[in-house]
Amino acid sequence: MLKSTIKIKRDVDYRLSFGTGGLYVNESIVLLNLYLECEDWSQVIEKSVENNILQFKSDASTRRATREICIRLQSLLPEERSFFLDADTQDQSMITWVSVCRTYDFIGTFASSILIDSYASYRLELSHADFDFFFEEQIQWHSELEEVTETTRKKLRQILFRMMREAGFLSRSMVLNALTPSSNLRNLTQQTNTDLIRFIPGVAA
């Protein structure tokens, strides 16, 4: 089979399309397995829509979510993709969170600054105000954020906090918890270990 060389184009601006949904761990497993069958991300999207693989209500929502998940999966190293499919639930959640942080600079910067600094300073209670402060601060470097409506900002905040809870390091009472990746995950690649430390509270401890 001739492999496609087409890659899904990334946005040049600060990417905020994570508002399409949550962490999507289980959906990532399904789509990565599908990619291993066809080795073509564009085909993964088309098959997902045609067969309603993700069980969403409309073709448009399926295409939108599948596209975002595929972009996240493309951020993973080949070793990480291979490990991901056979990993336990916690490692899968951490790998998925790392892929989110790599894909969306907004989230990656939030994680490496707000989350890591808060945990290191023993300020374990996270609040919506932390997100709002970060958002306002980022406008200095990303003027396009000024165009984001209050409704959209609240939705982005809601989705981000949902993803952190799904990743396992934020409790329902908004308290940061340390996560411990398996030794196999930490030793997978140097980049993997570096990003686990950069993006997940408590890993460096």
Side-chain angles (χ1 to χ4, degrees):
M1 178 189 300
L2 180 64
K3 297 183 182 180
S4 171
T5 57
I6 298 174
K7 283 209 170 189
I8 299 171
K9 184 179 179 182
R10 291 174 178 267
D11 296 341
V12 294
D13 292 331
Y14 218 13
R15 189 178 187 88
L16 297 175
S17 48
F18 60 87
T20 55
L23 197 61
Y24 289 137
V25 177
N26 293 329
E27 291 83 355
S28 295
I29 295 171
V30 171
L31 295 179
L32 183 53
N33 274 310
L34 184 57
Y35 173 73
L36 294 178
E37 295 176 8
C38 63
E39 298 184 311
D40 185 321
W41 292 110
S42 297
Q43 285 190 33
V44 169
I45 295 174
E46 295 308 317
K47 289 184 178 182
S48 177
V49 174
E50 289 173 7
N51 301 308
N52 194 19
I53 289 176
L54 302 185
Q55 298 295 300
F56 288 165
K57 292 182 179 180
S58 69
D59 287 355
S61 59
T62 298
R63 183 177 297 278
R64 185 165 55 250
T66 301
R67 181 177 183 272
E68 290 302 315
I69 296 170
C70 286
I71 292 173
R72 298 177 190 180
L73 290 172
Q74 287 185 82
S75 78
L76 296 177
L77 302 171
E79 298 93 331
E80 293 169 338
R81 293 178 195 165
S82 178
F83 179 85
F84 176 73
L85 292 176
D86 295 320
D88 63 28
T89 302
Q90 180 168 285
D91 278 357
Q92 286 178 331
S93 295
M94 285 189 281
I95 293 173
T96 307
W97 174 253
V98 166
S99 75
V100 166
C101 290
R102 290 174 179 172
T103 301
Y104 310 102
D105 287 341
F106 181 91
I107 296 180
T109 305
F110 181 86
S112 62
S113 56
I114 302 298
L115 297 183
I116 301 304
D117 288 352
S118 294
Y119 188 86
S121 303
Y122 299 100
R123 292 183 289 104
L124 303 183
E125 292 188 12
L126 202 65
S127 71
H128 288 171
D130 292 307
F131 175 93
D132 296 335
F133 172 81
F134 175 78
F135 194 99
E136 290 296 328
E137 187 180 52
Q138 290 301 296
I139 291 176
Q140 300 177 54
W141 295 280
H142 298 276
S143 58
E144 65 270 24
L145 293 179
E146 293 181 318
E147 301 174 9
V148 175
T149 66
E150 185 63 23
T151 299
T152 298
R153 182 192 295 207
K154 288 180 179 179
K155 180 181 179 182
L156 294 175
R157 186 178 65 194
Q158 176 189 16
I159 296 299
L160 175 55
F161 276 70
R162 178 199 300 175
M163 286 195 285
M164 291 189 288
R165 288 193 295 270
E166 291 175 350
F169 57 79
L170 183 67
S171 72
R172 291 192 175 277
S173 56
M174 306 281 275
V175 175
L176 291 173
N177 303 308
L179 289 184
T180 304
S182 69
S183 57
N184 287 335
L185 177 55
R186 294 203 66 157
N187 295 327
L188 194 57
T189 74
Q190 181 59 51
Q191 185 61 55
T192 303
N193 190 52
T194 297
D195 285 348
L196 289 170
I197 293 172
R198 284 177 62 204
F199 300 135
I200 300 178
V203 172

